[in-house]
Structure formats: structure tokens, C-alpha cells
Amino acid sequence: MSTTTAVQPERILKDLQQLWAQMAVDQADSGGVLRACAMTLVVVAENASDADLVRQTVGVLMHNHPSRAVILRPSGDGGGAADLDARIFAECWKPFGKSQQICSEGIEITAGRGGYAEVAKFLVPLRVPDLPVVLWCRGTHVLASAAESGLLEPLFPLADKIIFDTSQVADADSALQFLRRLRGRGRRVADLHWTRLTGWREVLAHLFDDHALRPDEVKSAQVTFGGPSVTTCARYFADWIRTALPGVKVGIAADASSASGDGPGGIRSATLSTASDNLTIALGENHCLEVSGCGRHYRSLLPSESEDALMQEELGILGPDLVYERVLTA
Amino acid sequence: MTEVRNPFADPLRFERRVPECAIVIFGAAGDLAKRKLLPALYRLAYDRRLPASFAIVGNSRTPMSDEEYRQRMHDAVKQFSEDGALDEDLWKRFAANLHYVAGDVKDPQLYVALREKLNTIGQANVLFYLSTQPSYYEVIVDGIGHSHLSAAPEGAWRRLIVEKPFGHDLASAKELNSRIHAVFREEDTYRIDHYLGKETVQNILALRFGNGIFEPLWNRRYVNQVQITAAESIGVEGRGGYYQEAGALRDMIQNHLLQVMATVAMEPSAVFEPDAVRDERAKLLRSIKIMRPEEVDQYAVAGQYKGFRQEPGVNPDAQTDTYAAGTFFVDNWRWAGVPFFIRSGKKLPKRVTDIAIQFNQAPLALFRSGDGEEKPRPNLLILRIQPEEGISLLFLSKEPGSGMRLRPVSMDFNYGTSFGERSPSAYETLLVDAMVGDPTLYTRQDMVEASWTVIQPILENWNNRRFDFPNYDSGTWGPSEADAMIAKLGRQWRNS
């Protein structure tokens, strides 16, 4: 369900109220609708067709993180405030076994890339009061815009958390420097390429829960990746090990046998070496990790890397993410 | 063994690993195992919470092969899993570590066979789960002790989970504790009360101690009364034989509802650590005023629904309480004089478990309520445990239009819609806690004994009298005596 409206925040909010009132009437026979909202999720789409994908992903995310979604759809090259247009919509779903629908609301704003300063002004009244605001800058171009042109700068102060995805960047170091700069300015940032590491990190952490080896036994560590250049994922993994085991030498190396990284972030393996043994976690077949060494030999299935699964994880963390911040600033 | 901090832990992103271990379930063909334990363990495997080598050894008297037991449990998990269909590939991997040892728990040879099975499986850490009839608990614990199955190798552990009821009165609870302690240390004994594993019961602590606005009101100055209700719309459903020996007071109030009351009324602990939290719960239970014998008739009511005595397996002259209600007071500075009304019953109008905290009315009635009542309705904070988990706050609001007519409105927080993700079942939570060695949500010996002490005067009174049962109709809110009990204190039940 959606309607088009001009970009006047008061008008949009009024239209949303009418939308809810109408839905309550339409669904009266099945117990009305339940309006759910736990945050404002602002998504900057890469382009117009990407905005359609975003809408689908947001629909999935709302089941676990009901929000007022604000999707910013670029209108084309350049452009500014004059191109602004908006429409509202509701995403509804029916929980298993229930007759009442749960609905969250959304606003799609079409704007030229030059119009984000104007959009930021509109976003202030469109935020749900007193609830967190998450800004999701989707795709490589959006990240490049943010890093190089500063086009997204007006949006950053509105957000409690800003989510990027560095998976496609050509220069990992520059991307990380940009995130560090933002963090240094007090912005809470996240990177879906860090989120992709969770499966690897969990397997490694569990080896220490299981006492496969003790932290003080580790003498050195090595992370290998496939592909032509080091990824932010590989950097994160190495820095995570380095911050967890201060004093341990941690190397990053390209895996010569692998032309491209087909695992999360191109990671091929991680090896922790003790004085007498090597404990290796390596990417195996069927999206599995193979653990070997220090008396262990087993496989573990990696979690889903779909964009909505990664976003679900990030939206579940709205406070400080101390581990990531420590790694980012290492 | 000294615990080494895991430098790779990231509790925001992933859970602590369940250590490699085996669980031995006594009563493994019974209802609890089929309906709760195996579905919970399967779900933990589905969520990748269990190590690959995790093993289950089931025991009951019924002769069965491993394969037959696996098939039975496959069918049970398929039938009783709360959400989602059974993943057959995952089940195959899960079932490969599912074993069965037939035998009578009174037969010492059973424990020899269990030892051999555990040696074959090769797990040093073992969790024993007593899911049998309570009358077998002591026999099993003795059997584990005599066979030295409770003795863990260096660096490993052996733990015991005991299902309720933990004794049938104070003396038997003490006796059981004593028998268990001859074999297991208190820190290795996990007395399960699955209510404490429910997300919404845990959320009581979050609501009270994670927010600044409630705790200042959480005392005798602002709270008028607390009502704790656990109502079931069904009867004994084929469990008449068990239930007629237990009754609502023993089956619900002595354990679940007194623990819930303790969670609602306890003082904040200095730290959120197992013994600190349990110390506060225990202190609250010990602060509940013990009824004098002559007070029991005034503060406790028993009921039985019409038709209970005609249920299969029930004595036609049974004196069982299918309904019990009590008025409890807490003798401490925070709660002195505030009545806690607790009731539980079968065949009531609906299935609901909730806690209603009723606040004092505004000191001056400026407005008359819309329906012309002299007194406006009081504010209520309702903590809903089941079926729709959540929290509601009832307050008065002006009706639209001219004049100043007030109407009660409800501000609702619904767990399911605010957190779309699935909540783990109580048994999933509690099983993991026992495996990782976190007893926060388990009851301790002193807590069990304190709650039996509270109940004991009522039990003694009820055991020594004949009730004029049955005294309430199915589909009603229990006997009229329960209404009279609460009316004597100027209150009425919140029957909604």
C-alpha cells in the first residue's frame, strides 16, 4: 500500500496518519493492524533500480526490526532540492498463527545527489521521536560519494549509527581510513564486511572456549586471502587477532593457489601457531569452515551472508560495539 | 579449574560456546523428554549452539535399540517443535549422537551400562537430567553415587538437573537435598524451575533494574497490591493420577509463582552474578510472612472444579486442590503491608499468566470517571508472561469532546512485535545455562526450603481437613471463597 505526496514533512506525517486510519478500517474484520516501530532506518540507495531492491530488503528487516524506513532514491545525475518527491508506504506481515497484521511504515524520497542537505532538513521532523536513527549507506558508489565528495555529510549528524559496506572497494586502506575518520569525529560506524567475519570469528572464539589452546600459547598468526589485493575483511581479521592477543605477530598473505576470494571477504584461512602445533581454520566446500590442529578436526557451517542477514545482525547492535571499534582503531 | 578469559569473546555477536559434553536423561521416553527436552536440544543444534560431539544418552525401562529411540524422538521433535519444520539433514547429524540405554533405575547394572556407554562416547563432562517420577530421584542419585558416575576426571565436571516437584513438603525437600548432597555438591546441583527460564520472567529484572522510572515506585508507598495469576483453561488432561497427589498449591504456587513473586519483589543485587541474584531471591522468600495455623483459613483458599473426580485415574473422593489462592505479605521495609495475592487453577475461563501491580490512586479525585464511578480506576502495570508476552500500563485519559470525562487506556509493549526475532524456549535457555555452568536461573537449596516453609502451614491445614469439593464450575474464576478472601482486605480480583 502506498501513496505519493510532496516533500513537506508535516504533510507526509499527516498522510501517514491517514494511511494508518484507513488500514485500521480495511482490516477491522481481522482485528485491525498493529503498528510497530523501534527505530528510524534511513537507507541511501545507489540508484533508482537499487531503491527497489532496498524496499524488498527493508520489508524483510522489518520483521525483526520494525522501523519507520526512509529510503532515499537518487533521481539521476546531480540534481538538487528541486527534484525532491516523496511517497509513503506500509510493510505488513502476519505472524505465523496470528490473524492480526503487524505493519511498519515507510517513506521513499526521490532526490538528486546534490539534494542531501535539503533531505537532511526534512529528515529531522520525519525521525520517530526518541528512537534511534540508523543510516545505511548502501553500495560502493554511496561509500565513494561519502568518502570523496562529502555529499552525505549532512546526513551523518542525524544518525546514531552509520552502516557501510566496504566489500567492493578497490583500496581497503583508504576505506578503513575514512571509517576511522568518521569514528574519530564521534560517529558510530559499522561495516558489513566486518559483519561477514562473524562466522569465522565465532569458530575461532569457540576454540578458546573449548580450551583447544590457551591465549598465552599462541606465538604467531597468519590470515590468508584470495584475490588480487588485500580486502578490508582480511585487515579486520588480522587486527582482531592482534588486539585480542597483544604481542603476537600477525601476518596477512595472499593465497597464491586462489585467484579470487570466494569466501566471506576473500578470506581463505587463519592459522594460529603454538610452539608445537598449528591450529588452522580454512574455508572448505559447501560454505563450511574446516578446523584442524591442536587435537581438533571438524567442520562448521558458516552463517548466511545475505545482505538482510548481515543487516539483521547490525541492527541488533545499537549501542557501542566495543570489539569492532577497538579493531577499527587498532 | 581456573577459568581463563577468552580474549576473542564478542557477546554482542555470538554466544558463549557450550562445552563438549553429554547429557544423560533419566525418563527419556516420558512426556517431558518428548515435549520439551528433545525439541529444545534439537533447536539448540539447529541454532549451532551445541558442539559437534554433543551426545545424548536416554534411559527408561522400555527395551529399545538406539535406532528405535531415535525414530521415537524424531517423531516427537517433529510433533512438538514450537516453530519450523524438522530439517531431516540436520536431524541425521543430531541423531547420530543420540543413544539409548534401557534399564530399571533401581538396578545397579543400569549404571554400569551407562558408564560403558559414556566411555564409548568419550565425553568427560556429563549432565544428568532427572526427568522421571519424583519418587525415583533419590534412587537415581544413589545409583549415580554408588557407581561413581558422579566423579569427574580432572578438569571435567558432572552436574545434576532435578525437575520439580522438589519434595512434597519441607521435610521431604530437606531429605532430598541431603541425599543429593551426599553425591553432588550444591554448585553442581541445578533445580529447574522453567518459569525462571521464560524470557518474560527474566525481563522482570530488566524492567525493574534496567530502567530508572519504575524502581522509585516499586514499594509500599506507591504499590497498593500485587496479583499473580496463573490460569489454565484446560483440566488435568490425562495427568489425573499425578495431579491428584500434587494439586495447584504444590504444582504451581510453591515453586513457579513464589519464584515469580520473589523476582517481582526482590532487592536489586549489587552485581548480575549467579549467587548475588539468587541471594536476593532467597532473602525475599525468607521475608515472606509465615501464616500462623489460625490464619490459614483467612489467607488461603482451595478449590476443585466440578468433574475433576470423574477424570481418569482420579480418586472419586479426591481432596485435591485444582485451584489454590493465597494472600502473602513480605516482612521488610519495602513491602510491609502490601498484599501479594497469588492464585492458580485449572478449568478457569482462559489461559493466562500475568502479574498485575496495582498502584495507589491519586490522592485527590479531581475528575470523576466517565462511567460515573466515585473512584477512578487505579493505575495498573501488567507483566504478561503468557500467552501474549509483554507489558501494559493502564492509565486514565480524557475522553474526546467537551467536559472532563476520563477513561482507562492501555499502553502496550508486545514482545513479539518489538523484537521480531524468536525467543528461545525456557528449556533451551536453562539447558545451555546448566551446560556452561551458569546457575542464575536455577533454584538453590535455601530457596527451595524457604518456599516450602511458606507453604507448609497451608499444606498442614489442608491435609487435615475435608473440603466440600467440588466448589467451582468450569469456566469460572474459581470458588467464591477466593473472592471473599481478597474482599476482606478491600480488594477484588482482576478478572479480565
Side-chain angles (χ1 to χ4, degrees):
Chain A
M1 183 176 289
S2 69
T3 57
T4 306
T5 184
V7 181
Q8 295 170 355
E10 297 79 12
R11 171 84 189 278
I12 291 173
L13 294 174
K14 199 169 180 182
D15 286 349
L16 281 174
Q17 276 186 4
Q18 285 175 357
L19 181 66
W20 284 111
Q22 186 58 46
M23 287 167 63
V25 172
D26 294 346
Q27 300 292 325
D29 291 343
S30 54
V33 293
L34 198 60
R35 183 182 182 179
C37 187
M39 69 180 78
T40 303
L41 175 62
V42 181
V43 192
V44 183
E46 279 214 293
N47 49 49
S49 62
D50 183 47
D52 296 331
L53 287 174
V54 168
R55 173 93 182 257
Q56 287 175 24
T57 306
V58 163
V60 175
L61 293 176
M62 280 186 175
H63 292 219
N64 280 357
H65 301 284
S67 58
R68 174 180 291 171
V70 181
I71 300 171
L72 304 183
R73 172 195 281 260
S75 61
D77 295 335
D83 299 330
L84 289 175
D85 187 19
R87 62 197 203 108
I88 58 171
F89 60 91
E91 288 286 348
C92 297
W93 64 97
K94 202 175 275 189
F96 181 75
K98 307 273 171 143
S99 61
Q100 191 182 42
Q101 286 198 95
I102 301 173
C103 296
S104 288
E105 61 200 16
I107 305 161
E108 189 176 284
I109 298 177
T110 307
R113 290 191 193 285
Y116 287 143
E118 198 65 20
V119 169
K121 287 183 201 161
F122 293 143
L123 282 179
V124 173
L126 290 180
R127 291 180 300 186
V128 183
D130 306 314
L131 290 178
V133 178
V134 177
L135 174 64
W136 177 19
C137 301
R138 193 168 180 275
T140 314
H141 291 122
V142 176
L143 176 61
S145 298
E148 292 158 18
S149 65
L151 281 175
L152 296 176
E153 282 292 328
L155 301 177
F156 293 158
L158 303 176
D160 297 290
K161 177 171 182 171
I162 309 167
I163 302 173
F164 295 96
D165 187 351
T166 62
S167 58
Q168 301 299 319
V169 297
D171 183 348
D173 290 334
S174 298
L176 292 177
Q177 274 174 20
F178 167 68
L179 295 180
R180 277 185 205 117
R181 278 201 307 275
L182 269 183
R183 181 72 199 109
R185 285 159 46 196
R187 306 278 168 243
R188 189 164 289 152
V189 294
D191 181 358
L192 296 185
H193 224 25
W194 163 256
T195 323
R196 288 183 182 90
L197 268 181
T198 298
W200 283 81
R201 296 194 303 119
E202 185 173 18
V203 168
L204 180 55
H206 284 169
L207 287 162
F208 284 81
D209 279 341
D210 285 350
H211 308 291
L213 70 174
R214 289 196 321 269
D216 59 5
E217 290 178 304
V218 182
K219 302 295 179 200
S220 64
Q222 176 92 328
V223 173
T224 65
F225 62 92
S229 58
V230 67
T231 60
T232 50
C233 217
R235 283 257 186 272
Y236 282 139
F237 205 178
D239 286 342
W240 179 60
I241 296 171
R242 201 172 285 128
T243 54
L245 301 174
V248 171
K249 188 181 169 196
V250 185
I252 305 180
D255 179 357
S257 66
S258 172
S260 65
D262 50 0
I267 306 283
R268 304 296 306 172
S269 69
T271 301
L272 302 184
S273 301
T274 67
S276 57
D277 206 348
N278 289 327
L279 180 64
T280 298
I281 306 169
L283 184 67
E285 292 178 346
N286 300 324
H287 207 58
C288 278
L289 293 181
E290 291 176 355
V291 178
S292 57
C294 293
R296 302 294 192 278
H297 188 82
Y298 59 85
R299 302 176 80 205
S300 181
L301 192 64
L302 278 167
S304 167
E305 283 172 52
S306 67
E307 193 173 42
D308 55 80
L310 300 173
M311 279 298 293
Q312 301 277 19
E313 185 174 325
E314 284 305 328
L315 293 179
I317 302 170
L318 295 176
D321 183 356
L322 297 180
V323 175
Y324 175 63
E325 288 172 10
R326 198 164 53 232
V327 170
L328 180 65
T329 54
Chain B
M1 188 170 59
T2 309
E3 190 71 17
V4 179
R5 192 185 70 84
N6 184 348
F8 292 102
D10 188 351
L12 283 179
R13 305 271 178 175
F14 38 80
E15 309 264 7
R16 191 180 164 189
R17 173 80 151 183
V18 170
E20 293 186 11
C21 62
I23 179 168
V24 177
I25 302 173
F26 294 95
D31 241 24
L32 181 72
K34 285 194 289 190
R35 287 172 182 267
K36 299 291 182 188
L37 299 183
L38 265 296
L41 290 166
Y42 168 77
R43 179 69 204 201
L44 290 171
Y46 180 89
D47 288 339
R48 307 187 312 131
R49 298 291 313 277
L50 299 179
S53 59
F54 177 78
I56 301 167
V57 181
N59 157 258
S60 77
R61 275 180 298 194
T62 313
M64 263 187 287
S65 67
D66 281 355
E67 264 321 307
E68 286 168 325
Y69 183 63
R70 286 168 188 157
Q71 187 56 47
R72 273 201 192 193
M73 292 304 111
H74 171 275
D75 297 345
V77 170
K78 199 168 183 176
Q79 184 180 356
F80 296 114
S81 280
E82 285 175 6
D83 34 35
L86 188 108
D87 177 336
E88 294 292 349
D89 286 340
L90 173 65
W91 174 262
K92 276 182 197 159
R93 292 198 295 276
F94 178 79
N97 290 332
L98 187 52
H99 309 271
Y100 184 77
V101 176
D104 188 329
V105 294
K106 295 175 194 156
D107 180 359
Q109 284 308 308
L110 167 65
Y111 303 93
V112 175
L114 284 173
R115 172 180 290 283
E116 284 170 6
K117 183 62 88 175
L118 288 169
N119 287 341
T120 310
I121 292 166
Q123 291 288 9
N125 298 321
V126 181
L127 180 62
F128 297 98
Y129 199 119
L130 304 189
S131 172
T132 61
Q133 285 180 37
S135 53
Y136 292 129
Y137 288 175
E138 291 168 356
V139 176
I140 296 171
V141 170
D142 287 349
I144 292 171
H146 290 146
S147 60
H148 303 294
L149 276 171
S150 53
E154 179 70 23
W157 49 259
R158 299 287 157 106
R159 296 181 185 135
L160 178 74
I161 296 184
V162 188
E163 264 292 337
K164 69 143 195 171
F166 201 81
H168 52 86
D169 58 14
L170 179 59
S172 59
K174 284 183 171 175
E175 169 63 18
L176 180 55
N177 275 327
S178 152
R179 294 282 284 271
I180 287 174
H181 287 161
V183 178
F184 290 94
R185 300 176 304 172
E186 176 60 24
E187 56 263 45
D188 293 325
T189 306
Y190 290 69
R191 298 172 191 83
I192 201 164
D193 185 326
H194 74 270
Y195 259 56
L196 293 181
K198 287 177 180 284
E199 288 282 322
T200 36
V201 175
Q202 295 178 62
N203 195 39
I204 295 170
L205 295 179
L207 176 88
R208 290 189 57 198
F209 305 133
N211 297 291
I213 61 168
F214 297 111
E215 203 51 25
L217 306 177
W218 217 264
N219 57 59
R220 64 188 302 276
R221 286 186 67 193
Y222 301 101
V223 174
N224 177 277
Q225 58 168 308
V226 178
Q227 292 187 14
I228 301 175
T229 299
E232 288 184 69
S233 56
I234 58 172
V236 291
E237 304 290 300
R239 292 170 66 231
Y242 158 76
Y243 196 82
Q244 73 171 349
E245 301 302 322
L249 186 68
R250 282 193 179 93
D251 194 47
M252 291 296 293
I253 295 183
Q254 182 273 330
N255 38 68
H256 301 322
L257 300 187
L258 282 180
Q259 291 298 333
V260 168
M261 176 180 163
T263 308
V264 168
M266 65 187 250
E267 296 297 319
S269 58
V271 287
F272 193 71
E273 288 174 1
D275 269 330
V277 174
R278 299 198 300 174
D279 283 348
E280 294 303 335
R281 276 207 182 96
K283 269 162 63 182
L284 190 285
L285 289 167
R286 285 197 298 270
S287 304
I288 298 175
K289 189 176 176 186
I290 309 300
M291 290 178 202
R292 293 195 302 270
E294 64 273 22
E295 290 177 324
V296 171
D297 286 347
Q298 183 183 350
Y299 290 132
V301 170
Q304 187 185 90
Y305 65 82
K306 289 177 185 166
F308 173 70
R309 290 172 176 174
Q310 285 73 51
E311 298 271 8
V314 174
N315 180 341
D317 196 30
Q319 288 286 304
T320 309
D321 50 309
T322 62
Y323 174 99
T327 305
F328 300 95
F329 292 92
V330 179
D331 275 347
N332 65 19
W333 278 53
R334 183 192 282 262
W335 294 114
V338 177
F340 285 74
F341 301 111
I342 300 182
R343 61 178 169 169
S344 176
K346 292 191 176 292
K347 291 269 189 184
L348 300 187
K350 63 178 182 179
R351 174 178 171 257
V352 62
T353 302
D354 64 21
I355 303 140
I357 295 142
Q358 183 175 317
F359 293 91
N360 288 327
Q361 285 165 359
L364 189 63
L366 278 183
F367 314 107
R368 286 172 183 273
S369 57
D371 53 10
E373 286 175 11
E374 193 61 34
K375 288 183 178 176
R377 293 198 196 183
N379 295 123
L380 277 176
L381 181 68
I382 298 155
L383 314 176
R384 299 191 309 272
I385 294 174
Q386 59 188 19
E388 293 286 340
E389 299 96 333
I391 298 168
S392 298
L393 179 65
L394 264 71
F395 59 95
L396 295 174
S397 177
K398 179 186 174 300
E399 282 186 13
S402 59
M404 186 56 86
R405 289 182 303 173
L406 306 191
R407 195 172 70 186
V409 292
S410 173
M411 193 159 66
D412 289 334
F413 154 71
N414 184 306
Y415 236 87
T417 52
S418 292
F419 301 103
E421 61 201 78
R422 171 188 177 277
S423 296
S425 73
Y427 277 95
E428 288 167 46
T429 303
L430 293 167
L431 283 166
V432 167
D433 283 357
M435 288 187 268
V436 301
D438 180 352
T440 309
L441 300 176
Y442 284 86
T443 49
R444 216 169 43 190
Q445 174 188 359
D446 55 343
M447 296 158 75
V448 169
E449 292 181 4
S451 56
W452 275 119
T453 304
V454 171
I455 296 300
Q456 193 63 31
I458 307 175
L459 283 177
E460 285 171 7
N461 179 301
W462 291 3
N463 286 343
N464 292 311
R465 62 185 286 186
R466 285 194 63 78
F467 291 100
D468 187 17
F469 282 162
N471 60 352
Y472 71 95
D473 288 318
S474 297
T476 67
W477 282 103
S480 56
E481 290 89 335
D483 298 333
M485 174 191 83
I486 187 169
K488 280 181 210 155
L489 294 172
R491 272 81 167 189
Q492 62 182 36
W493 291 109
R494 196 187 124 263
N495 291 338
S496 58

